[in-house]
Amino acid sequence: MENTVGDFLRSRRARIRPEEVGLPSHGRRRVQGLRREEVALLAGVSVDYYIRLEQGRGGSASDAVLGAVARVLRLDEVEAAHLRALARPPGPAAAARGGRPIREGTRLLLDLMTGVPAFVLGRRMDVLAWNALGDAVQGFSAAPPELRNAARHTFLDPAARAFYPRWEAVAAETVAYLRLDAGRHPEDPELAALVGELSVRSEEFGRLWADHQVRQKTHGVKLIRHPLVGELDFGYETLGVNGCAEQTLVTYTAAPGSPTARKLATLTSRTAPGVPVAAE
């Protein structure tokens, strides 16, 4: 799974023109964007040290150094955190830890959210559990187990492009979130296998993966074309599950009285109450 600090830094250097940071841009340049020595100069570190950092030999790079590089490369908060994870990867023991099972309290919370489509994402974007309305919207229980993964569903399910009218935006967001996970867990063999599978089976995934975008999944909009009720225009919010750092509760919201809220009411009427269904 290619996800090195050098790959990331080179991709970020390439997007900044010298004149944007007050450097002359005349003369022939062999690289797009900033040169390594220019980043080192602007960050206040030696060229040799910066080269070693790109080569993954930066050792225990300090917060001050990584912060200076992040400032020069105009990294946002998520990208800066990704740089720190790549420059100072966790040990093998930390990387090998798996996800925790869904707590009964979390399952009960899903069940009680009768008017809100909700589900829990775990490591590698696996869908771990969902409530009845979340299932009615997303169709988790009817999907093959291997497609109960947000990345596989987006890129390998033939129905995904029709399900997501803004598929390109969903695809880009999915890859950016998966790469963020890869930065946190560089030694995860299951994640490496997932990235390899998607790279081989989806040309679009390979192209987006090579772009090195990273993005946290916090909130946004999600447009879905449901086979029964048509277009659903949701906002989404994600909440961390306390005590389970690798689990995220995802909720879809619709303004009261909106067309999407009325369509959700139709789906709710088709959904029998009960405990949330979880993946086998």
Side-chain angles (χ1 to χ4, degrees), residues 79-96:
E79 291 173 321
H82 185 62
L83 172 60
R84 291 192 295 271
L86 293 177
R88 299 188 301 225

Side-chain angles (χ1 to χ4, degrees), residues 181-227:
D181 191 39
R184 294 167 175 162
H185 304 278
E187 302 299 326
D188 182 351
E190 292 183 48
L191 181 55
L194 174 62
V195 171
E197 175 192 2
L198 294 173
S199 298
V200 169
R201 298 180 62 183
S202 170
E203 181 179 346
E204 293 94 337
F205 178 89
R207 175 179 55 80
L208 290 167
W209 185 257
D211 200 32
H212 288 269
Q213 298 295 324
V214 291
R215 190 179 308 165
Q216 185 62 275
K217 192 178 182 70
T218 56
H219 65 280
V221 296
K222 185 66 64 74
L223 185 64
I224 289 173
R225 185 178 291 120
H226 194 276

Side-chain angles (χ1 to χ4, degrees), residues 166-189:
R166 298 171 185 164
W167 182 88
E168 291 79 6
V170 173
E173 180 185 76
T174 299
V175 174
Y177 183 75
L178 197 63
R179 187 172 276 285
L180 190 65
D181 191 39
R184 294 167 175 162
H185 304 278
E187 302 299 326
D188 182 351

Side-chain angles (χ1 to χ4, degrees), residues 17 31 34 54-55 59 64 66 80 82-83 94 101 114 124 132 151 179 192 232 238 250 252 255 263:
R17 298 191 303 273
V31 297
L34 295 179
E54 277 206 2
Q55 292 175 341
L66 296 177
H82 185 62
L83 172 60
T114 55
R124 312 169 199 95
R179 187 172 276 285
L232 298 167
T238 66
V250 182
Y252 288 164
K263 293 173 184 178

